[in-house]
């Protein structure tokens, strides 16, 4: 058996032959479609609050909060606290710019590839 480095040999890793940005982000970052949609909405509406995003996305605030938490964990969103004039505060969220998100995708794939290469190198005859 010879190795086939052609992209077609890995087609089962992606849900589509010609994946769009949303599908690639979901695959690389291990996130759901609704989280990608939240990211895209944040790109168009930087500085949004959870309430504003919930309205824009037509989703429950608790679900939006979970999506934002996941996006922040993956480096795809940031949060800033803004003090309100009447007291208290609100958090505003901003998406990581697409150029930086692309860099994060490359880094994630590079890390994954290195980890797989390391694992392959650990195999010996007793693993056969």
């Amino acid at each position: 058996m010879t190795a086939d480095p052609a992209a077609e040999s890995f087609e089962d890793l992606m849900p589509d032959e010609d994946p769009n940005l949303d599908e690639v982000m979901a695959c690389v970052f291990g996130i759901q479609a609704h989280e990608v949609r939240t990211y895209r909405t944040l790109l168009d509406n930087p500085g949004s609050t959870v309430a504003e995003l919930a309205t824009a996305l037509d989703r429950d605030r608790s679900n939006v909060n979970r999506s934002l938490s996941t996006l922040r964990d993956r480096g795809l969103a940031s949060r800033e606290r803004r003090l309100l004039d009447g007291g208290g505060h609100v958090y505003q969220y901003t998406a990581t710019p697409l150029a930086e998100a692309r860099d994060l995708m490359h880094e994630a794939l590079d890390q994954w590839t290195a980890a797989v290469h390391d694992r392959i190198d650990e195999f010996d005859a007793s693993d056969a």
Side-chain angles (χ1 to χ4, degrees):
M1 180 173 147
T2 60
D4 179 6
E8 295 83 23
S9 66
F10 301 105
E11 65 189 24
D12 60 330
L13 296 176
M14 292 301 297
D16 190 339
E17 277 186 33
D18 189 22
N20 62 30
L21 173 65
D22 294 3
E23 292 167 329
V24 172
M25 286 185 78
C27 181
V28 171
F29 292 116
I31 59 178
Q32 303 296 316
H34 62 87
E35 292 159 339
V36 175
R37 192 169 146 238
T38 302
Y39 171 78
R40 296 284 220 156
T41 302
L42 269 180
L43 278 176
D44 294 335
N45 302 283
S48 294
T49 65
V50 171
E52 292 166 342
L53 287 169
T55 299
L57 293 164
D58 193 28
R59 293 184 62 219
D60 183 76
R61 287 173 53 155
S62 62
N63 290 328
V64 171
N65 255 326
R66 281 193 290 279
S67 291
L68 289 168
S69 178
T70 298
L71 292 174
R72 290 178 61 226
D73 288 346
R74 303 299 194 281
L76 295 171
S78 60
R79 175 177 83 175
E80 288 189 23
R81 191 170 100 160
R82 182 174 55 100
L83 297 176
L84 301 173
D85 291 337
H89 67 272
V90 66
Y91 287 110
Q92 294 179 295
Y93 296 85
T94 301
T96 299
L98 188 53
E100 289 179 39
R102 281 196 309 261
D103 289 343
L104 290 172
M105 284 189 269
H106 283 291
E107 289 173 22
L109 286 176
D110 289 345
Q111 290 171 3
W112 180 82
T113 302
V116 172
H117 280 290
D118 289 346
R119 184 65 184 124
I120 291 168
D121 291 343
E122 293 171 1
F123 294 138
D124 60 23
S126 66
D127 293 314

